[in-house]
Coordinates of all heavy atoms in Angstrom, one line a residue:
L1 N 5.4 -5.3 -4.8 CA 5.2 -5.5 -3.4 C 6.4 -5.5 -2.6 O 7.5 -6.0 -3.1 CB 4.4 -6.8 -3.2 CG 3.0 -6.9 -3.7 CD1 2.3 -8.2 -3.4 CD2 2.1 -5.7 -3.2
T2 N 6.4 -5.1 -1.4 CA 7.5 -5.2 -0.5 C 7.2 -6.1 0.7 O 6.1 -5.8 1.3 CB 7.9 -3.7 0.0 OG1 8.4 -3.0 -1.0 CG2 9.1 -3.9 1.2
L3 N 8.0 -7.0 1.1 CA 7.8 -7.8 2.2 C 8.4 -7.0 3.5 O 9.6 -6.8 3.5 CB 8.4 -9.2 2.2 CG 8.4 -10.1 3.4 CD1 6.9 -10.4 3.8 CD2 9.2 -11.3 3.2
G4 N 7.5 -6.8 4.5 CA 8.0 -6.1 5.7 C 8.5 -7.1 6.7 O 8.3 -8.3 6.6
T5 N 9.3 -6.6 7.6 CA 9.8 -7.5 8.7 C 8.7 -8.0 9.5 O 9.0 -9.1 10.3 CB 10.8 -6.7 9.6 OG1 10.2 -5.5 10.1 CG2 12.1 -6.4 8.8
D6 N 7.5 -7.4 9.5 CA 6.4 -8.0 10.2 C 5.7 -9.2 9.5 O 4.7 -9.7 10.0 CB 5.4 -6.9 10.5 CG 4.9 -6.2 9.2 OD1 5.3 -6.6 8.2 OD2 4.1 -5.2 9.4
G7 N 6.2 -9.5 8.3 CA 5.6 -10.6 7.5 C 4.5 -10.1 6.6 O 3.9 -10.9 5.9
N8 N 4.1 -8.8 6.7 CA 3.0 -8.4 5.9 C 3.7 -7.8 4.5 O 4.9 -7.5 4.4 CB 2.2 -7.3 6.6 CG 1.6 -7.9 7.8 OD1 1.1 -9.0 7.8 ND2 1.5 -7.1 8.9
F9 N 2.8 -7.5 3.6 CA 3.2 -6.9 2.3 C 2.8 -5.4 2.1 O 1.6 -5.1 2.6 CB 2.7 -7.8 1.1 CG 3.3 -9.1 1.1 CD1 2.7 -10.2 1.7 CD2 4.5 -9.4 0.5 CE1 3.2 -11.4 1.7 CE2 5.1 -10.6 0.5 CZ 4.4 -11.6 1.1
Y10 N 3.5 -4.6 1.5 CA 3.2 -3.2 1.3 C 3.4 -2.9 -0.2 O 4.2 -3.3 -0.8 CB 4.1 -2.4 2.2 CG 3.9 -2.7 3.7 CD1 4.6 -3.8 4.3 CD2 3.1 -1.9 4.4 CE1 4.4 -4.1 5.6 CE2 2.8 -2.2 5.8 CZ 3.5 -3.2 6.4 OH 3.3 -3.5 7.7
G11 N 2.5 -2.0 -0.6 CA 2.5 -1.6 -2.0 C 1.9 -0.2 -2.1 O 1.3 0.3 -1.2
S12 N 1.9 0.3 -3.4 CA 1.2 1.7 -3.7 C 0.4 1.6 -4.9 O 0.7 0.8 -5.8 CB 2.4 2.7 -3.9 OG 3.2 2.8 -2.8
C13 N -0.7 2.3 -4.9 CA -1.6 2.4 -6.0 C -1.5 3.9 -6.5 O -1.6 4.8 -5.8 CB -3.1 2.1 -5.7 SG -3.3 0.4 -5.1
Q14 N -1.4 4.0 -7.9 CA -1.2 5.4 -8.4 C -2.5 6.1 -8.5 O -2.5 7.4 -8.6 CB -0.6 5.3 -9.8 CG 0.7 4.6 -9.8 CD 1.5 4.5 -11.1 OE1 1.7 5.6 -11.7 NE2 1.6 3.3 -11.6
G15 N -3.6 5.5 -8.4 CA -5.0 6.1 -8.4 C -5.7 5.6 -7.2 O -5.3 4.8 -6.4
G16 N -7.0 6.1 -7.1 CA -7.9 5.7 -6.0 C -7.5 6.3 -4.7 O -6.9 7.3 -4.6
G17 N -8.0 5.7 -3.6 CA -7.8 6.4 -2.3 C -8.9 7.3 -2.0 O -9.8 7.5 -2.7
D18 N -8.8 8.0 -0.8 CA -9.8 8.9 -0.4 C -10.0 10.1 -1.3 O -11.0 10.8 -1.3 CB -9.5 9.3 1.1 CG -9.6 8.2 2.0 OD1 -10.2 7.2 1.7 OD2 -9.1 8.4 3.1
H19 N -8.9 10.6 -2.0 CA -8.9 11.8 -2.7 C -8.7 11.6 -4.3 O -8.6 12.5 -5.0 CB -7.9 12.7 -2.2 CG -7.9 12.9 -0.7 ND1 -8.9 13.6 0.0 CD2 -7.1 12.4 0.3 CE1 -8.7 13.5 1.3 NE2 -7.6 12.8 1.5
G20 N -8.4 10.3 -4.6 CA -8.2 10.0 -6.0 C -6.8 10.2 -6.5 O -6.5 10.1 -7.7
Y21 N -5.8 10.5 -5.5 CA -4.5 10.7 -5.9 C -3.6 9.5 -5.5 O -2.4 9.6 -5.5 CB -4.0 11.9 -5.1 CG -4.6 13.2 -5.6 CD1 -5.5 13.9 -4.8 CD2 -4.3 13.7 -6.9 CE1 -6.0 15.1 -5.2 CE2 -4.9 14.9 -7.3 CZ -5.8 15.6 -6.4 OH -6.3 16.8 -6.9
G22 N -4.2 8.4 -5.2 CA -3.4 7.2 -4.9 C -3.2 7.0 -3.4 O -3.6 7.9 -2.6
Y23 N -2.7 5.8 -3.1 CA -2.5 5.5 -1.6 C -1.5 4.4 -1.5 O -1.1 3.8 -2.4 CB -3.9 5.0 -1.1 CG -4.5 3.8 -1.7 CD1 -4.3 2.6 -1.2 CD2 -5.3 3.9 -2.8 CE1 -4.9 1.4 -1.8 CE2 -5.9 2.8 -3.4 CZ -5.7 1.6 -2.9 OH -6.3 0.5 -3.5
V24 N -1.1 4.1 -0.3 CA -0.2 3.1 0.2 C -1.1 2.1 1.0 O -1.9 2.4 1.8 CB 1.0 3.6 1.0 CG1 1.8 2.4 1.6 CG2 1.8 4.6 0.3
F25 N -0.8 0.8 0.6 CA -1.7 -0.2 1.3 C -0.8 -1.3 1.9 O 0.5 -1.5 1.6 CB -2.6 -0.9 0.2 CG -1.9 -1.7 -0.9 CD1 -1.4 -2.9 -0.7 CD2 -1.7 -1.0 -2.1 CE1 -0.8 -3.7 -1.7 CE2 -1.0 -1.7 -3.2 CZ -0.6 -3.0 -3.0
Q26 N -1.5 -2.1 2.7 CA -0.9 -3.2 3.4 C -1.7 -4.5 3.2 O -3.0 -4.4 3.2 CB -0.8 -2.9 5.0 CG -0.3 -4.1 5.8 CD -0.7 -3.9 7.3 OE1 -1.8 -3.9 7.6 NE2 0.4 -3.7 8.1
V27 N -1.1 -5.6 3.0 CA -1.8 -6.9 2.8 C -1.3 -7.8 3.9 O -0.1 -8.1 4.0 CB -1.5 -7.5 1.4 CG1 -2.2 -8.9 1.4 CG2 -2.0 -6.6 0.3

């Protein structure tokens, strides 16, 4: 995970998403 300057966290998934090729997410 990466902590953004906005205080939120960002990460990536290697699978899943709308097309099954992975996605970037925010928590």
Side-chain angles (χ1 to χ4, degrees):
L1 297 178
T2 294
L3 174 65
T5 54
D6 58 3
N8 299 321
F9 294 93
Y10 297 83
S12 299
C13 294
Q14 299 182 66
D18 296 341
H19 312 289
Y21 293 110
Y23 60 95
V24 176
F25 64 84
Q26 174 198 65
V27 177

